[in-house]
DNA sequence: CTGTTAGCGCCTTCAT
DNA sequence: ATGAAGGCGCTAACAG
């Protein structure tokens, strides 16, 4: 079962140079006479030599690999981020070890990634549990959070201003005449870890001199369409006449349920979603949505990480970046 | 910037044993006296020692890492497969290096994964270009194809019987009275690499004594919703009164375009999609679809790979497995 | 510009 | 049941 056979040593021998020289040409070190460089290149070609990244990683203490933790790869929100991450990683010649970390599995995912001696980590999640925060710090490698805030500001992160975005759409819903705007999110967004969205919602309610109705704040344990469709009955039976929803699949599920039950959207009920994934265009009426630049968030996160991995001092690096967002008004709202 | 500090050597010294012994307990080797095992464990705990997977990989020639090539991580079809792969990989303690390989980037993706000395590869794609096939063989490591056929049967693969599935839905469409069933797929499925779906379509047409109309076979260069929505005008202007579509997002785009243009589905036009992702339930009318067990395909693929990586002889291993599929009749077809 | 020499952290015979 | 010793393939000073 021997796989890789030709090593740097074989190339050296065949080319009549030392392995150091081969190493130099492979790594693009300039201190090599053009003629010998060429000679070595030829041998590399002939032998079809491919450097062993594992050995290289051990010797150099750099694996040019970054770990990416993703809560759900089948969620368009996260996979869009991942695509941005991946593209930039490629651009800078980093490989990605991507692990799907389901709820509660984050720590395992993280430590197995850390064991692989990754040079940095991009962490995505609904929240940042204390144990993860600790592991992340302990690792002493660069970390950037994508599409999540770090309330303690210990880590770099890239986001849109979720609080303001939610504030804004909630406000607009109220101004359009809605009296009972509900807030629907996965449970994680209701806790202390990622308070920004909920805060934005509450602030908008308060500023309009409306009461924050706690029974109009709903937490789902999953972000899946069917789950949301089943949940929607509760929303229908509540006083709500509008909802701000944190996840497109949930929004789609709610929208379809309401309509299947004879509720007119947007006449009787307004819906605003948050991610502007393809889903918002697929349903009818199309969903009004906040539009975070998902791909860019991932891309910028990775870009920052590359900077951190290159330099030793993180000082001149933007630690916390906030990207602009838009709001697309579509047919699930009226006059907002 | 030193990160990992405590090595197996530190543990050995601290525990008063040799590093060989520490290695044994870390690797679960049975030949260790329980008392010393415990002593070592304690030190490991105390020092918070974590084995360096890179060093381990170099020394043992096994990285317990598998490379996964995915054409588009934001495509629900592939990300569902990936989830199955990832779950099983975790179960068998393998890590995954996942690389998004856009059209034409497959070879780079593959070779960077290979350089990482992965123990095996799961390859997903729309097709299997010759250069990739060559690279894959050259690597001499276990490979399994997920959700794609290998016409030359050189590699293991797990699939449903796409040809029969497409044959069946096409047949049913015809029996329901449709005279001009179109076939819509990404271009890759129109070539020689993955002929099964198109073959199933053509066979069904022929067996019904209908002519295969080449201008009713459409190839898109992308599988995205908007792309499909824009394309759909062509379909509408053709003779087609039904379509078998290879990708749910494309199907959704076509469905919405047709309806936005006043075509009644399913009265005037029938649509069948192929992947049964969440999308088919989100649109109205819901899409009739072939239901391949995507998660399972990924899971089985990974399971086979683990077997291949464990044994040296692949002989007793199922090389080509075909999983059963279903067909869900929903509202985009009538009486099929 | 090029070669020599140490390791990187761990696994793995081979002895004991 | 345990220890000693030799690499795995490559990088990184350090000489020259």
């Amino acid at each position: 079962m021997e796989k890789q056979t030709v090593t740097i040593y074989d190339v050296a021998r065949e080319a009549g140079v030392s392995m150091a020289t081969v190493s130099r040409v492979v790594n693009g070190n300039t201190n090599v006479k053009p003629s010998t460089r060429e000679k070595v290149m030829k041998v590399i070609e002939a032998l079809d030599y491919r450097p062993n990244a594992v050995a290289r990683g051990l010797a150099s203490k750099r694996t040019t690999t970054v770990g990416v933790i993703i809560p759900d790869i089948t969620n368009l929100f996260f996979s869009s981020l991942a695509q941005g991450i991946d593209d930039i990683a490629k651009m800078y010649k980093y490989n990605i070890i991507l692990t799907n970390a389901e709820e509660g599995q984050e720590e395992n995912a993280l430590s197995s990634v850390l064991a692989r001696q990754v040079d940095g980590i991009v962490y995505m999640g609904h929240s940042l549990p204390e144990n993860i925060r600790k592991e992340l710090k302990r690792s002493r490698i660069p970390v950037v959070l994508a599409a999540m805030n770090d309330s303690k500001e210990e880590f770099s992160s890239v986001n849109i201003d979720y609080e303001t975005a939610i504030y804004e759409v909630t406000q607009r819903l109220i101004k359009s005449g809605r009296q009972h705007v509900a807030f629907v999110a996965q449970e994680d967004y209701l806790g202390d870890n990622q308070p920004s969205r909920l805060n934005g919602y509450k602030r908008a309610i308060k500023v309009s001199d409306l009461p924050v109705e706690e029974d109009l704040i709903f937490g789902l344990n999953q972000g899946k369409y069917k789950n949301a469709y089943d949940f929607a009955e509760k929303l229908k039976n509540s006083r709500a006449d509008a909802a701000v929803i944190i996840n497109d699949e949930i929004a789609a599920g709610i929208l379809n349920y309401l309509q299947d039950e004879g509720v007119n959207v947007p006449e009787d009920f307004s819906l605003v979603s948050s991610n502007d994934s393809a889903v918002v265009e697929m349903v009818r009426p199309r969903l009004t949505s906040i539009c975070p630049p998902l791909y860019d968030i991932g891309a910028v996160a990775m870009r920052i990480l590359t900077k951190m991995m290159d330099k030793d001092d993180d000082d001149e690096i933007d630690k916390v970046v906030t990207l602009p967002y838009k709001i697309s008004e579509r047919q699930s709202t009226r006059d907002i």
Side-chain angles (χ1 to χ4, degrees), chain A:
Chain A
M1 203 63 158
E2 13 64 79
K3 19 192 185 185
Q4 170 102 16
T5 359
V6 17
T7 78
I8 199 173
Y9 183 75
D10 300 321
V11 177
R13 189 172 23 69
E14 202 71 15
V17 298
S18 75
M19 39 187 297
T21 301
V22 178
S23 175
R24 287 190 186 98
V25 349
V26 167
N27 292 298
N29 188 313
T30 47
N31 284 20
V32 184
K33 201 202 304 178
S35 68
T36 67
R37 168 186 303 282
E38 221 168 310
K39 184 173 55 180
V40 172
M41 293 284 248
K42 242 172 215 147
V43 177
I44 288 179
E45 191 80 12
L47 268 50
D48 198 14
Y49 163 72
R50 324 276 186 104
N52 178 326
V54 173
R56 202 195 292 231
L58 184 60
S60 69
K61 307 256 200 186
R62 290 191 71 236
T63 55
T64 56
T65 300
V66 328
V68 176
I69 311 292
I70 188 170
D72 179 5
I73 196 179
T74 64
N75 180 321
L76 237 28
F77 179 77
F78 292 114
S79 60
S80 301
L81 293 171
Q83 197 165 49
I85 294 169
D86 191 86
D87 280 358
I88 304 302
K90 275 206 180 61
M91 193 170 301
Y92 289 90
K93 310 278 187 207
Y94 282 95
N95 270 72
I96 276 182
I97 295 186
L98 182 143
T99 27
N100 207 246
E102 291 159 37
E103 188 84 42
Q105 293 303 303
E106 298 91 348
E107 190 163 357
N108 283 335
L110 191 52
S111 72
S112 88
V113 151
L114 255 16
R116 247 84 200 183
Q117 312 301 114
V118 293
D119 295 337
I121 287 189
V122 178
Y123 191 89
M124 300 181 269
H126 300 293
S127 64
L128 189 61
E130 202 48 45
N131 58 333
I132 298 302
R133 175 188 297 281
K134 223 179 87 195
E135 270 297 281
L136 249 18
K137 281 204 309 222
R138 219 189 71 79
S139 76
R140 307 181 58 333
I141 60 175
V143 172
V144 15
L145 310 178
M148 56 188 305
N149 288 108
D150 174 15
S151 44
K152 301 192 184 167
E153 304 223 337
E154 292 180 327
F155 302 110
S156 296
S157 63
V158 7
N159 284 285
I160 65 165
D161 182 347
Y162 285 110
E163 175 160 350
T164 301
I166 296 291
Y167 175 87
E168 186 177 343
V169 295
T170 306
Q171 265 282 298
R172 285 167 68 170
L173 245 14
I174 293 170
K175 289 216 173 111
S176 79
R178 298 307 183 187
Q179 293 289 314
H180 303 286
V181 179
F183 179 83
V184 183
Q186 283 161 271
E187 275 157 4
D188 298 287
Y189 297 109
L190 267 33
D192 286 339
N193 271 315
Q194 293 292 309
S196 56
R197 292 173 179 79
L198 185 55
N199 282 347
Y201 165 79
K202 287 185 174 172
R203 264 184 41 221
I205 304 274
K206 286 177 190 156
V207 97
S208 310
D209 287 325
L210 256 31
V212 171
E213 304 169 270
E214 292 291 342
D215 57 335
L216 256 38
I217 298 176
F218 298 93
L220 307 203
N221 53 10
Q222 263 191 60
K224 295 297 176 190
Y225 174 84
K226 292 203 177 183
N227 187 40
Y229 190 93
D230 295 339
F231 150 82
E233 186 178 1
K234 276 192 202 157
L235 185 63
K236 176 169 180 288
N237 293 337
S238 74
R239 283 183 309 287
D241 55 10
V244 173
I245 301 164
I246 268 9
N247 167 310
D248 291 344
E249 277 201 47
I250 293 180
I254 291 174
L255 172 66
N256 281 344
Y257 176 84
L258 292 178
Q259 296 191 120
D260 289 349
E261 294 297 310
V263 177
N264 290 319
V265 177
E267 291 77 4
D268 304 334
F269 202 105
S270 298
L271 287 173
V272 177
S273 192
S274 298
N275 302 336
D276 199 50
S277 61
V279 168
V280 303
E281 295 275 354
M282 287 186 202
V283 293
R284 291 293 182 271
R286 296 176 176 85
L287 286 162
T288 291
S289 178
I290 297 167
C291 310
L294 297 179
Y295 178 94
D296 293 344
I297 290 177
V300 171
M302 186 64 206
R303 180 63 186 106
I304 291 177
L305 191 63
T306 62
K307 285 187 189 164
M308 293 169 69
M309 293 186 298
D310 280 355
K311 307 198 185 183
D312 261 9
D313 57 332
D314 300 352
D315 295 341
E316 316 157 31
I317 300 176
D318 293 322
K319 301 283 288 184
V320 174
V321 356
T322 301
L323 264 25
Y325 61 89
K326 291 186 302 182
I327 292 174
S328 280
E329 189 179 345
R330 299 198 184 82
Q331 289 79 47
S332 67
T333 51
R334 177 145 289 179
D335 304 327
I336 72 168

